[in-house]
Amino acid sequence: MFGYRVPAPDEAMLISGGRRGLGGAPFRVVTGHGKFVLPVFRKVRFLTLSMCEAEVTETCVTKQGISLHVRAVIAFKVGNDHESIINAGQRFLSDQEQMSVLTGRIFAGHLRAIIGSMTVEEIVTERQKLAAEVLDTSKVEMAKIGLIVDSLQIQSIDDGDTGYIAAMSAPHKAAIQRQAQIAQAQATQAAVEAEQAAARKQAEYARQTAVVKAEYSAEVDRAQAQAGQAGPLAQAHAQQEVLAAQTELAERQARLRQQQLVAEVVKPAEAEAERVRILAAAEAQRMKIQAEAAASYDRVALDRMLIDQLPQIVKEAAGGLAGANVNVLNGADGLGEIAAGLVSQGLTILDSVRQNLNGGQDDTKDNPGTRGHLNGLRQLRSGKDGASEDDGPVNLD
């Protein structure tokens, strides 16, 4: 629109002509909005509010008298308040490039003053302190001209050919180099150890891999061997089971046959043998009884025969003595003694005959009749010898 002017966001619009601005300023300040400006009657100028830069390169002498070449960079701008804009507008509106030049000169002077009160060691090691002191001392002057400093950076400090800074840094350099060498040696050692550890791990991994492969190969071989032997083993097991079943069946058949033989042959044979034994024992007992009876009968008959023949035997014996020259000393007693001797001889003969018949055994115990006859004869003999009848029978046992 004709006559309506709007400043940029980083500009301040200064309107001159007409009534004066705030505080008796020769212009009015407009920022952030537009305003109608009458042509011909009003004049509009713009003041930048953007960031500006000033570079300072200065040779300064320290407290120790050592010259230092210092390079610094200042970042500044026009303040946002109306007072700063008015101050800056009155000084730099016609030539705004002078703001950087004037700022550089102001800071160069303050920088020389502050460095002159410090040692090289303080300047080198405390750059931030140097920048803070320069800012504090220049703040009032910068405010008077409507400028504010955002930052001050000391970019470089050089002592030229004096070598003071280099000498000052030599121990630190040596220590740093020593630490660097130590660190390098440690790093090298760590690298070697790491390589050795990696080699060991790699070798161990290779060994484990080889072992696992060997185990897998052995397992595969075993599995293949088992698979190859599965058929023959199964057949052998089946044959073994068949043989075991056949063996058990044969054993059962043998036991059954044995039981059958026992039932069919052994038991009947034992029964027959028992029957024959019983019959033989009965027959033997019968024959024994018959033999004993026959022997008893024969002995009784013989005894009777001998008894019947005894008088004849005595008679024949007496007849034999008839022609003998016998002197009887005791008369009738002597004759009786002779007769008794004959009877005794007859009994002796009888006993010898009986012993020969019986095989040398005396069976008078089993034949009461014979025992009675013999006892009668012995009584007769004992009577002749003067024995008493009360002495009882003669015991031939």
Side-chain angles (χ1 to χ4, degrees):
M1 186 180 293
F2 181 76
Y4 189 80
R5 307 295 296 272
V6 178
D10 58 347
E11 290 180 339
M13 186 173 60
L14 305 179
I15 303 173
S16 60
R19 61 181 182 174
R20 294 180 178 272
L22 182 63
F27 48 78
R28 286 182 297 171
V29 178
V30 178
T31 58
H33 60 86
K35 195 171 182 63
F36 284 100
V37 178
L38 294 175
V40 181
F41 298 101
R42 303 286 188 270
K43 188 175 183 179
V44 177
R45 303 287 298 272
F46 294 94
L47 179 66
T48 180
L49 301 178
S50 63
M51 182 66 66
C52 299
E53 180 180 303
E55 184 175 344
V56 177
T57 302
E58 193 70 23
T59 300
C60 306
V61 179
T62 65
K63 183 179 180 180
Q64 299 161 316
I66 299 173
S67 297
L68 297 177
H69 299 287
V70 181
R71 183 174 177 271
V73 176
I74 303 100
F76 67 94
K77 66 180 291 293
V78 178
N80 292 328
D81 59 288
H82 285 192
E83 183 179 359
S84 296
I85 294 173
I86 292 170
N87 292 333
Q90 288 177 344
R91 291 171 176 79
F92 305 111
L93 186 59
S94 59
D95 188 4
Q96 297 186 25
E97 296 295 331
Q98 290 295 320
M99 288 190 295
S100 297
V101 176
L102 182 59
T103 301
R105 291 175 180 176
I106 291 172
F107 273 88
H110 290 291
L111 190 62
R112 284 194 302 269
I114 293 173
I115 287 177
S117 63
M118 298 175 65
T119 62
V120 178
E121 288 79 6
E122 292 174 347
I123 294 170
V124 172
T125 58
E126 299 179 2
R127 290 189 181 187
Q128 195 63 32
K129 178 183 177 181
L130 173 62
E133 289 184 0
V134 173
L135 286 175
D136 288 338
T137 56
S138 62
K139 184 182 297 183
V140 177
E141 294 183 17
M142 294 294 288
K144 288 180 181 181
I145 60 177
L147 301 178
I148 58 175
V149 179
D150 288 339
S151 67
L152 170 64
Q153 296 295 328
I154 306 297
Q155 292 186 339
S156 65
I157 299 173
D158 186 12
D159 61 351
D161 297 334
T162 59
Y164 187 90
I165 296 177
M168 182 181 67
S169 62
H172 301 286
K173 287 183 179 180
I176 294 300
Q177 290 177 357
R178 183 172 62 255
Q179 293 177 0
Q181 292 174 357
I182 293 173
Q184 182 64 34
Q186 292 177 350
T188 303
Q189 182 179 359
V192 172
E193 291 178 354
E195 290 179 358
Q196 293 177 354
R200 287 195 298 269
K201 289 182 179 179
Q202 187 175 2
E204 180 66 20
Y205 178 76
R207 186 186 67 80
Q208 292 178 356
T209 303
V211 171
V212 171
K213 286 183 179 179
E215 290 178 354
Y216 285 164
S217 179
E219 186 174 356
V220 170
D221 294 340
R222 286 195 300 270
Q224 291 178 353
Q226 291 177 357
Q229 295 175 356
L233 286 175
Q235 185 176 2
H237 286 307
Q239 292 178 356
Q240 185 176 3
E241 292 179 357
V242 171
L243 292 175
Q246 291 178 353
T247 303
E248 185 178 359
L249 179 61
E251 290 177 354
R252 290 182 179 179
Q253 290 177 353
R255 288 195 296 269
L256 180 61
R257 182 58 182 165
Q258 182 179 3
Q259 294 175 357
Q260 291 177 353
L261 290 175
V262 169
E264 294 176 358
V265 178
V266 176
K267 293 297 182 182
E270 290 179 352
E272 181 65 20
E274 184 66 18
R275 186 182 68 81
V276 170
R277 185 183 65 78
I278 294 172
L279 291 176
E283 182 65 19
Q285 185 69 22
R286 184 183 66 80
M287 293 178 66
K288 180 180 179 182
I289 294 172
Q290 290 178 355
E292 290 178 352
S296 177
Y297 177 78
D298 291 340
R299 284 192 298 271
V300 171
L302 180 60
D303 290 342
R304 287 181 179 178
M305 183 185 66
L306 291 176
I307 293 171
D308 291 338
Q309 295 296 326
L310 184 60
Q312 184 64 27
I313 292 171
V314 173
K315 180 179 178 182
E316 290 295 331
L321 295 174
N325 187 14
V326 178
N327 294 322
V328 178
L329 299 179
N330 295 328
D333 293 333
L335 183 60
E337 291 176 359
I338 292 173
L342 292 175
V343 173
S344 176
Q345 290 178 1
L347 290 175
T348 301
I349 293 171
L350 178 62
D351 288 338
S352 297
V353 173
R354 290 178 65 248
Q355 287 177 1
N356 290 328
L357 290 176
N358 293 330
Q361 292 180 356
D362 188 5
D363 292 336
T364 57
K365 294 179 182 180
D366 298 329
N367 195 340
T370 304
R371 183 184 296 177
H373 293 300
L374 293 178
N375 287 333
L377 291 176
R378 288 188 177 93
Q379 286 177 1
L380 176 61
R381 187 185 63 179
S382 62
K384 294 298 181 176
D385 293 336
S388 175
E389 291 180 3
D390 296 334
D391 292 338
V394 177
N395 189 358
L396 297 178
D397 295 335

